[in-house]
Every structure is written in C-alpha cells, then in structure tokens.
Amino acid sequence: DAGVIQSPRHEVTEMGQEVTLRCKPISGHNSLFWYRQTMMRGLELLIYFNNNVPIDDSGMPEDRFSAKMPNASFSTLKIQPSEPRDSAVYFCASSLLAGGYNEQFFGPGTRLTVL
Amino acid sequence: KNQVEQSPQSLIILEGKNCTLQCNYTVSPFSNLRWYKQDTGRGPVSLTIMTFSENTKSNGRYTATLDADTKQSSLHITASQLSDSASYICVVSASGTYKYIFGTGTRLKVLA
C-alpha cells in the first residue's frame, strides 16, 4: 500500500483565493482525520470522518473551512477565502477504526502559504 | 482538561550520545500512549504504543517508559545517530473516545 496520499505537497496562494487540499486514505481504513500543524500549537484536529460521515467538526476554525468525503477513498479540505493566518502544514491521517489502540497513519502533509 | 505536555521543547546533542525526552499527561480515562517520530517535511510515524499495564517498551535504540501512577512517560534514545534528528510527539488516547491528545513535541537535533 502506498500509504496516505496528499496533494498538493506545497501550495502558495494569495489572500482571498480558494484553496483545496486532497487526501486519499489507506484502503480499508474507516476513519479519516484532518489536522493542522503550526509551530506554536502543534497538531490540531480539524475534522474527523467515520465511514465517510463527518462525526466531529468542532475543530474547524471558521466557516471559511469546509471538508467533504464523497467516498471511502477521497477527501477534500477547502478554505475559501484563504487568509495569511491559515498558513500551516495540513495533514490527513487514516486509521482502521478511531481511538483506542488504532494507529493513525499520516500523509506527508500539504504546506500551505497564504500571502 | 485533557492535556499532554512535553519537555524539553528542543534539544541538541552530539552523535553517539544518549538522551531522554519527557511527556506528562492529564488524560482520563487513560487508554494508551504513543510516541511518534516526525522527520522534517514528513508526517508523524508511530514508534511505540504503551498501555496501562506496560512499564517499558523498546523499538531498536528507542525505549519508552510509562508510569501510569504519576502520568509520566519518557522516550530514551541510545547511541544517537544523525537520522534521529526529528520532532518526537507524545500522543495519548482516552478510553471510549476517538480523540487523540497531542503534545507539541520535542525537536531533537543530533550533530556530527
């Protein structure tokens, strides 16, 4: 298995533009997580999907952020409009199940820079 | 409030030396604790997982300890190598929840 795949790896955009991050989880994994990582706050959970259904989106900072999982093999995180404070590394992670002893497998991340 | 705190924030050591990273948590009810290694430009990768009943677990030159009474864990790296330069993140899972509580990590730099 190729592991969790994320694209793009790097994204540079201007304030006000729409940004879409993509994720392909490991086949057979039922849980998918989107995280944001900054130096100051570390890894923060944005949203958690179970069997393609959003279970917890309390970490999504504002209405500018939205996430979808149309099927078991694809998820997107969209920011519209983007702001400079959204600059961070965004990780997608998947696991067979959520919580407990289930290991999360992380993608390589998307480094977002908003100018 | 469930929290995970790590120390030190950063550490620089010479190749071949040993080091110990600390993790204190206030997560309840406790399920397990993982140490992740995150290389620059990559996602975190699990090194070890420890449950309530485990005191020590090794993975090559990495040895994790857990004291469930004091809610402390440590990660000891023996005979460090340049490839150990990375961030090490402590993650605690609470029983009956899907949430993982992350520490902010320790950035380790190993110098030749």
Side-chain angles (χ1 to χ4, degrees):
Chain A
D1 198 318
V4 176
I5 299 172
Q6 290 186 248
S7 65
R9 291 297 310 277
H10 302 273
E11 178 79 34
V12 181
T13 189
E14 292 187 344
M15 182 174 63
Q17 296 298 306
E18 177 180 299
V19 175
T20 299
L21 311 181
R22 298 172 176 79
C23 173
K24 176 178 168 57
I26 293 173
S27 177
H29 281 189
N30 298 308
S31 298
L32 184 140
F33 305 79
W34 280 100
Y35 291 94
R36 179 171 65 179
Q37 185 177 43
T38 61
M39 289 288 288
M40 291 298 295
R41 301 170 70 94
L43 279 157
E44 299 175 286
L45 176 65
L46 298 176
I47 188 168
Y48 155 56
F49 290 89
N50 186 53
N51 291 325
N52 313 338
V53 176
I55 302 300
D56 181 1
D57 65 354
S58 60
M60 298 285 262
E62 300 169 33
D63 291 344
R64 298 184 296 107
F65 285 70
S66 63
K68 295 182 179 180
M69 192 166 185
N71 57 62
S73 59
F74 184 65
S75 177
T76 59
L77 177 67
K78 184 179 293 186
I79 307 173
Q80 166 63 16
S82 58
E83 296 183 3
R85 59 195 169 115
D86 300 331
S87 297
V89 181
Y90 291 81
F91 286 100
C92 175
S94 71
S95 60
L96 189 59
L97 297 171
Y101 305 107
N102 294 286
E103 179 179 352
Q104 290 186 311
F105 293 83
F106 287 80
T110 294
R111 181 174 294 277
L112 173 64
T113 302
V114 183
L115 303 175
Chain B
K1 181 181 178 183
N2 289 331
Q3 281 188 316
V4 176
E5 295 183 349
Q6 293 187 243
S7 63
Q9 282 190 323
S10 61
L11 183 62
I12 300 175
I13 62 174
L14 293 176
E15 187 179 15
K17 298 296 185 181
N18 304 334
C19 67
T20 300
L21 314 179
Q22 300 290 342
C23 173
N24 297 335
Y25 61 92
T26 57
V27 179
S28 182
F30 175 84
S31 174
N32 61 79
L33 182 149
R34 284 186 188 273
W35 283 94
Y36 279 84
K37 179 186 180 188
Q38 184 177 16
D39 292 316
T40 301
R42 297 191 168 216
V45 175
S46 179
L47 289 174
T48 66
I49 178 173
M50 301 188 72
T51 61
F52 185 88
S53 59
E54 295 175 303
N55 299 118
T56 304
K57 183 169 282 188
S58 292
N59 178 0
R61 295 178 296 101
Y62 300 100
T63 299
T65 65
L66 175 66
D67 186 334
D69 291 331
T70 61
K71 298 186 177 181
Q72 295 179 326
S73 176
S74 65
L75 181 69
H76 185 75
I77 304 175
T78 303
S80 61
Q81 300 177 358
L82 298 178
S83 59
D84 293 329
S85 294
S87 288
Y88 292 85
I89 303 171
C90 177
V91 185
V92 180
S93 177
S95 297
T97 176
Y98 55 84
K99 289 193 175 181
Y100 303 84
I101 297 94
F102 290 79
T104 54
T106 293
R107 288 186 297 281
L108 174 66
K109 179 72 173 176
V110 180
L111 300 177

